[in-house]
Structure formats: C-alpha cells, structure tokens
Amino acid sequence: MQRLLSSSFLFLISLISLSCNQPFQPEVKYTPELNVYSVLFANAQSVYVRVTPVVQSPSDVTLPIHGASVKLVGPGINDTTLQLITLTDTTALVDGNTASFYYAPAHIIPGRLYTVSVIQEGYLPAYASASVPFGYTTVPDQNAYSILQNPKNVK
C-alpha cells in the first residue's frame, strides 16, 4: 500500500512538472509611470525635484528622466496671488556622484499649499500637492542635494 502511494505521488509530481513548460509572464501589463520625488523645506529659497521611471522589475536600472516639463504652483511673493515656476533640468556633481534633478529658485512659505506637476512624453502626467508645515528650519542647499540623491540614507 505504501509503495502504491509513493508511486502515485511521484507520478502526480511528474505530471505537474511537465505541464509547467511556459515561461512566466505577469498577467498585468506594464504601464510606464513616473516616479517623482521632492522635499519642500519651509523658508527654503529653492526647490529640487527628481524624476525617474517606475521600473518593471527590481533588476531594472533606474535612470533619471531628462526633458520633462516640471512646474511648481504656489503662493506668490505677496501671498495673495499664485505663481507658476518652471524648474530647470540640471545635472550636478554632488559629493563626487552625478545627480540629475530639476531645480528652480523659489521661496517656500510655511503653511501654504504647493503643487508639483511633471509631464513627459510616453508617460501619464504626475501631480502632487502638499502643505508645508510650520516650525521647520531651512535646510542648507547641500543637504537638499544629498536628500534628493539618496532619500533612503537620510537620518
């Protein structure tokens, strides 16, 4: 009886392994999307935005996207009007590493709402809004560069 069960089990495993001859293909089709990262510091005098594509798998290399239209909408200097700021595509050497991001001078007012928009051909537009909290100190520009380059390493 034991021998019959062992043989049946081996036969069943053989059938299953023979039926798996097609390579794995995910059921969800990959749709190109933008990954937009920015930190708005209260009272800062500049804005930095990093734009990369969302990759299909963890083994894919993420390269920065250049040539996108990146804009910041927020309160104007007198805080009664809105201003539209276009950020410039920039590549810089930061701590010995090449960093690509979008940059613009802009005064960030605590307690106000800001919206970042990114439009790039081949991708759906990306939009994000945030209110900048009160009570935070200005982070020096060098720290802003470091945070954009390695956001997971910030302590």
Side-chain angles (χ1 to χ4, degrees):
M1 179 71 171
Q2 174 113 357
R3 189 173 181 108
L4 180 62
L5 285 175
S6 296
S7 296
S8 298
F9 180 72
L10 285 174
F11 179 71
L12 182 62
I13 294 295
S14 298
L15 283 177
I16 291 172
S17 65
L18 289 174
S19 67
C20 296
N21 59 1
Q22 294 182 349
F24 171 75
Q25 293 193 10
E27 293 181 20
V28 178
K29 184 180 176 186
Y30 172 74
T31 303
E33 293 182 356
L34 295 171
N35 182 18
V36 179
Y37 180 80
S38 181
V39 179
L40 298 178
F41 297 105
N43 296 314
Q45 299 301 317
S46 53
V47 175
Y48 305 92
V49 177
R50 186 175 59 192
V51 181
T52 59
V54 174
V55 294
Q56 290 185 31
S57 72
S59 63
D60 290 347
V61 176
T62 302
L63 297 173
I65 291 179
H66 295 283
S69 171
V70 180
K71 300 191 183 304
L72 175 73
V73 176
I77 298 293
N78 59 11
D79 203 20
T80 58
T81 61
L82 285 180
Q83 66 176 338
L84 173 67
I85 300 169
T86 300
L87 283 72
T88 303
D89 191 351
T90 308
T91 299
L93 196 61
V94 179
D95 296 331
N97 298 312
T98 301
S100 295
F101 48 88
Y102 292 81
Y103 162 82
H107 180 73
I108 304 301
I109 302 169
R112 300 300 185 260
L113 179 69
Y114 291 87
T115 300
V116 174
S117 67
V118 180
I119 298 174
Q120 172 68 16
E121 188 176 330
Y123 296 89
L124 293 174
Y127 302 94
S129 294
S131 290
V132 178
F134 287 96
Y136 285 74
T137 60
T138 300
V139 176
D141 284 350
Q142 185 59 40
N143 288 342
Y145 281 123
S146 298
I147 289 170
L148 278 168
Q149 188 173 6
N150 298 306
K152 292 180 183 178
N153 297 336
V154 175
K155 294 178 175 135

